[in-house]
Each structure stands twice: as structure tokens, then as C-alpha cells.
């Protein structure tokens, strides 16, 4: 369990202490944007591998169970995951100024459409839904640390990205945020935007459904756990 805590601290640390602060600006100034992104990507990959390895080890050792998930929630989990896939896949395939290398899009007033009308951080919100769902489904200590790490990083990541973009892009970022929101549907409920389902793109929705279907069917094979109680497709 100590190894899992260490892996979680490392993964959160490189994102929140380095990438999420002015320390990133100083490192980029010293070595350049390209080398920084390369090194950070390697560190992130190493962190994920370490987390997964430590999690599997923790599951085999003493692992306190905090709650048993009700059957009703177990049956609702696939619907929550479908929502996460829809938000995440549609978000990943929609041009977004919050993505690395796409900052110039905030200068285009036509950028805010589709999923960006709902939230400017669609992928991170999909991770939050994924993480919270898996935390609810697995009440053991190791799972809470593992899935909680990704959930916390995604939640704080939305704030960190906003702060970084505001610091670097000033008025351009202010104009972009005037018609978008971090919290899903925030800008729509505030009257600063409107919902336009047709802008999401049918092929993005189809891609999300295909990805969800593949993971749903292969979950038992990949992770040894059926996504629906009592369902064993193979």
C-alpha cells in the first residue's frame, strides 16, 4: 500500500507542482517547449505504469474494505460509463483551446460549439465521472487511492489549466471563457450559451458508442471483472 501512495504522490506531484505552476514556465524557458513536453510525457507514462503496478500489488495484500456497493448502483454504473465515453470521445475529437498546442483556437469566435458549449474541459470531466463511478463500485482502500488519484487530478486539472491559460493569454482567454464554463452546463444555465446537440457530430457519437461497446464487452477479459452483475459473455 505504501508503494501505491508513493506512485499516487508522484503522479499528482508532476502534474500539480510542475505542470500546474509557474515552475513549468521556468523549465520551458530553460530547455524549450518541445523538450519539456517530451520529458513530461515520459514522466507521466512512467507514473501511470507505476500506479497500475502498485495497484495490482496492493490488491493482493492487506486491503481494507470500506463499503459494499449496492446492486442498484452496480447496474447503473454502465450508464454512467456510457456518459463518460460520450463526453470524453466527443471532447477529444473536438478542437479545443484547452488542449496542448491548440491555444490559437481561442482567437476564433467560431471555436465554441458542440461539446464546448457544455464544458470547456470535456475529457477531464469524463475522467471525473469514470473515477467517481469506479470509486463507488470498489469500496476497498487500494481502489479509492488508485481511482481517487485520477479523479482528483482531473478535477484540479480543470482549475490549473484555466489559471495557466488566463496567465498566458489574458484577453483572448477571457473572451473564450465568456461563453464557456468549467462546470458542465454552467454557461448554458447562466444564459451565456445554448445547447446545440446537432453540433456534437454524429461520427463522434458513433465513435464513442463503439469505444464504449468494446470496453464493455472486453472488461471481463481485460480486468477480470464483469461490468454487470451476473453477466458473463464468455
Amino acid at each position: 500500500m505504501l508503494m501505491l501512495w508513493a506512485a499516487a504522490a508522484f503522479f499528482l506531484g508532476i502534474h500539480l507542482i510542475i505542470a500546474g505552476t509557474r515552475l513549468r514556465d521556468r523549465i520551458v524557458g530553460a530547455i524549450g517547449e518541445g523538450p519539456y513536453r517530451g520529458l513530461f510525457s515520459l514522466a507521466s507514462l512512467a507514473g501511470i505504469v507505476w500506479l497500475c503496478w502498485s495497484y495490482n500489488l496492493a490488491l493482493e495484500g492487506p486491503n481494507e474494505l470500506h463499503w459494499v456497493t449496492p446492486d442498484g448502483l452496480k447496474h447503473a454504473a454502465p450508464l454512467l460509463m456510457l456518459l463518460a465515453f460520450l463526453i470524453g470521445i466527443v471532447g477529444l475529437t473536438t478542437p479545443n483551446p484547452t488542449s496542448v498546442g491548440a491555444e490559437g483556437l481561442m482567437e476564433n469566435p467560431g471555436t465554441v460549439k458542440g461539446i464546448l458549449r457544455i464544458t470547456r474541459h470535456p475529457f477531464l470531466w469524463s475522467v471525473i465521472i469514470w473515477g467517481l463511478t469506479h470509486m463507488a463500485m470498489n469500496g476497498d482502500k487500494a481502489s479509492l487511492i488508485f481511482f481517487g488519484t485520477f479523479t482528483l487530478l482531473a478535477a484540479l486539472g480543470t482549475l490549473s489549466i484555466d489559471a495557466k491559460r488566463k496567465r498566458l493569454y489574458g484577453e483572448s482567454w477571457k473572451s473564450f471563457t465568456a461563453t464557456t464554463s468549467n462546470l458542465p452546463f454552467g454557461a448554458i444555465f447562466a444564459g451565456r450559451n445554448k445547447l446545440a446537440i446537432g453540433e456534437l457530430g454524429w461520427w463522434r457519437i458513433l465513435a464513442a458508442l463503439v469505444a464504449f461497446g468494446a470496453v464493455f464487452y472486453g472488461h471481463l477479459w481485460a480486468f477480470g471483472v464483469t461490468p454487470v452483475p451476473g453477466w458473463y459473455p464468455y
Side-chain angles (χ1 to χ4, degrees), residues 61-144:
N63 184 24
E64 183 179 358
L65 183 65
H66 294 284
W67 65 77
V68 176
T69 307
D71 287 341
L73 181 56
K74 291 180 180 179
H75 284 92
L79 295 178
L80 293 172
M81 291 310 303
L82 175 58
L83 176 62
F85 270 83
L86 286 170
I87 297 175
I89 299 297
V90 172
L92 283 174
T93 54
T94 299
N96 188 345
T98 66
S99 300
V100 176
E103 295 84 358
L105 291 174
M106 68 183 72
E107 300 285 352
N108 183 356
T111 294
V112 181
K113 59 183 179 181
I115 194 68
L116 296 187
R117 294 180 183 270
I118 299 174
T119 173
R120 58 178 172 266
H121 297 293
F123 177 72
L124 292 180
W125 276 101
S126 74
V127 173
I128 292 172
I129 296 172
W130 169 83
L132 290 176
T133 300
H134 281 77
M135 290 172 70
M137 291 289 291
N138 301 275
D140 61 284
K141 184 176 182 179
S143 295
L144 294 180

Side-chain angles (χ1 to χ4, degrees), residues 124-205:
L124 292 180
W125 276 101
S126 74
V127 173
I128 292 172
I129 296 172
W130 169 83
L132 290 176
T133 300
H134 281 77
M135 290 172 70
M137 291 289 291
N138 301 275
D140 61 284
K141 184 176 182 179
S143 295
L144 294 180
I145 297 171
F146 179 76
F147 293 109
T149 296
F150 292 101
T151 304
L152 180 61
L153 178 60
L156 295 179
T158 64
L159 304 178
S160 175
I161 290 173
D162 282 0
K164 182 165 54 179
R165 292 291 190 274
K166 180 180 179 180
R167 184 173 72 248
L168 295 176
Y169 299 101
E171 289 301 316
S172 295
W173 177 252
K174 183 178 180 180
S175 177
F176 174 68
T177 58
T179 55
T180 63
S181 63
N182 179 3
L183 188 68
F185 296 100
I188 294 174
F189 289 150
R192 295 184 286 111
N193 213 316
K194 62 181 180 179
L195 185 63
I197 298 296
E199 292 180 356
L200 296 178
W202 67 266
W203 66 270
R204 295 187 177 97
I205 296 175

